[in-house]
Amino acid sequence: MLHTINKSPFESNTLETCIRFLQPGDPLLFIEDGVYAVQAGNKFSDLVNSTLQNNPVYALQPDLEARGISSTTEGVKSVDYEGFVELVEEHQVNSWL
Amino acid sequence: MEDVKKIMHVMRRAPHGSIYTYEGLEMILIMAAYEQDLSVAFIGDGVYALKKDQDTEGIGIKGFAKTFMALDMYDVEKLYVDKESLEERGLAEDDLLVDVEVLTSEEIGKLMNEQDVVVPH
Amino acid sequence: MRLSTPSCFYITRTIVSTVNIGILLKEGPYNHQASDTAFKFAEAAIKKGHKVDAVFLYNDGVTNVTKHMDPPQDDRDIAKRWNELGEKHGVGVLACIAASKRRGISDDVIIEKGEITGLGTLTDIAIRNDRLVTFGD
């Protein structure tokens, strides 16, 4: 199951909630304001890092660019909309709105 | 019937402050008529939707607690409540309007992973 | 056109088969990015050869298809964009009737390719497609 998060972790506990339900191996994709979670060196870096131990983590590149985020937590892969579609080819989707 | 899909509705918002829970409930009632494998998970503030003693008369918004109580009649019987969400809000199963299964996030997470469709509300 | 090549040929080339996708959009235009992300996603899916069956509009999402939208010239026209997606790629642009009635959306005010329909249609979309992808706030 692909999990998407679109909320800034500074505003909402969606990320923490989602992680509680995440099963090992499930990919996590940050979109929209969700991408603030993966900016390198922020207070969520440790959480993202520990998630990366068991789950692939992605961030939507156009959303990173729109928000001026050029440096992301190591191990986070950026994907464009095509990459988003490829994740959906492989997985059912659970959007954590 | 191989066409039966596992569809889970996820309630994560508090009721009344926004329409998501109410319209989510309307969606669930319609989907219930299609004989799919439906379930509803209450997570985070979503658990407040099931709290007893809600009286919306004063805010002028139609309440829907009774509709939750009627889900059973629509054969929507798989109601899962996240244990941690309940506990961190100081609530217990007795505070809820309907019979539910209180499960850990691990258990609900596994159920989520079995779904064909997850609809967030 | 029927292809004469045996299907195993395609399997060995690991061509991803077409995925049938339904989209549920739960937020209105402009206030949130949801409508933009949903559109970009739909566009990318179509470009990759997948079938986007329909975009079902729910909650405030039903206001995505009001035809009187008139944004400044340098801004995207969200209703027009959904209309074009319907026109060019046969994507159903469907607004929930109950949600529409609440918000004053009727056949008179929606784009040409828009259609007002019931939640039963959404259920059908969820059943007949391989994926239902939700966008919202």
Side-chain angles (χ1 to χ4, degrees):
Chain A
M1 177 93 44
L2 169 71
H3 298 259
T4 68
I5 291 180
N6 73 339
K7 297 283 185 312
S8 162
F10 295 95
E11 188 193 74
S12 145
N13 67 2
T14 301
L15 172 58
E16 281 110 325
T17 305
C18 169
I19 285 173
R20 282 207 286 124
F21 293 85
L22 207 58
Q23 299 296 297
D26 280 357
L28 182 59
L29 169 66
F30 292 100
I31 65 171
E32 300 170 0
D33 287 346
V35 300
Y36 285 117
V38 300
Q39 180 155 31
N42 72 11
K43 82 168 193 182
F44 294 97
S45 298
D46 288 345
L47 185 61
V48 172
N49 259 323
S50 65
T51 305
L52 275 163
Q53 304 301 311
N54 294 308
N55 301 82
V57 179
Y58 302 87
L60 199 58
Q61 179 70 22
D63 279 323
L64 291 168
E65 284 169 14
R67 290 160 180 82
I69 302 170
S70 51
S71 172
T72 56
T73 304
E74 207 185 318
V76 175
K77 294 175 207 123
S78 58
V79 289
D80 54 11
Y81 291 103
E82 197 185 326
F84 185 175
V85 173
E86 280 162 12
L87 287 166
V88 173
E89 287 167 4
E90 300 293 320
H91 306 274
Q92 298 293 349
V93 187
N94 187 352
S95 312
W96 291 80
L97 301 180
Chain B
M1 285 197 294
E2 62 181 79
D3 275 352
V4 171
K5 288 215 167 181
K6 289 169 99 74
I7 303 175
M8 179 184 273
H9 294 266
V10 181
M11 307 304 228
R12 280 190 52 235
R13 319 234 193 187
H16 321 309
S18 65
I19 200 168
Y20 300 108
T21 309
Y22 185 62
E23 287 193 324
L25 191 54
E26 288 187 338
M27 188 188 285
I28 292 165
L29 293 178
I30 299 290
M31 283 199 177
Y34 283 71
E35 297 180 345
Q36 302 298 302
D37 184 357
L38 282 196
S39 58
V40 190
F42 298 85
I43 293 170
D45 282 348
V47 302
Y48 286 132
L50 296 178
K51 199 186 166 303
K52 279 180 185 163
D53 300 328
Q54 298 180 56
D55 180 1
T56 59
E57 204 191 324
I59 59 170
I61 297 176
K62 194 174 137 195
F64 44 85
K66 283 204 178 98
T67 319
F68 272 114
M69 293 166 82
L71 278 177
D72 199 34
M73 293 187 320
Y74 289 83
D75 292 325
V76 182
E77 286 155 353
K78 295 177 178 174
L79 306 180
Y80 309 123
V81 170
D82 173 45
K83 188 166 181 279
E84 188 171 320
S85 302
L86 209 55
E87 283 171 356
E88 66 188 8
R89 284 163 183 76
L91 297 173
E93 210 173 328
D94 283 351
D95 297 308
L96 306 181
L97 287 161
V98 286
D99 282 338
V100 296
E101 275 183 73
V102 178
L103 301 175
T104 64
S105 45
E106 173 70 19
E107 289 167 321
I108 294 177
K110 286 208 170 94
L111 288 167
M112 275 178 168
N113 251 20
E114 295 170 5
Q115 303 300 313
D116 297 305
V117 178
V118 177
V119 186
H121 294 290
Chain C
M1 194 181 72
R2 186 170 265 277
L3 296 167
S4 55
T5 325
S7 57
C8 60
F9 175 77
Y10 291 93
I11 293 162
T12 55
R13 287 186 61 192
T14 61
I15 288 174
V16 178
S17 56
T18 304
V19 180
N20 297 310
I21 300 170
I23 291 175
L24 173 62
L25 174 54
K26 287 163 55 69
E27 217 58 57
Y30 304 108
N31 254 27
H32 296 279
Q33 201 189 337
S35 175
D36 298 281
T37 309
F39 179 79
K40 291 276 187 190
F41 175 82
E43 218 179 29
I46 291 164
K47 207 173 156 196
K48 290 206 87 215
H50 300 304
K51 165 83 183 155
V52 177
D53 180 358
V55 179
F56 191 91
L57 308 168
Y58 200 51
N59 304 128
D60 276 358
V62 295
T63 59
N64 271 275
V65 288
T66 54
K67 68 180 175 190
H68 297 302
M69 262 180 221
D70 188 13
Q73 275 199 349
D74 58 353
D75 198 357
R76 71 247 189 255
D77 188 330
I78 288 182
K80 196 174 155 205
R81 214 164 57 172
W82 288 124
N83 201 58
E84 283 168 3
L85 201 73
E87 211 165 61
K88 285 186 196 155
H89 302 287
V91 178
V93 184
L94 314 173
C96 167
I97 188 162
S100 293
K101 286 181 93 163
R102 254 189 204 114
R103 294 161 178 87
I105 308 295
S106 63
D107 286 327
D108 304 338
V109 300
I110 66 170
I111 54 171
E112 202 192 322
K113 287 288 164 188
E115 198 187 315
I116 297 179
T117 180
L119 283 164
T121 308
L122 173 67
T123 314
D124 286 332
I125 290 167
I127 294 169
R128 71 176 176 238
N129 286 286
D130 303 308
R131 301 284 183 272
L132 184 72
V133 188
T134 306
F135 297 92
D137 176 45

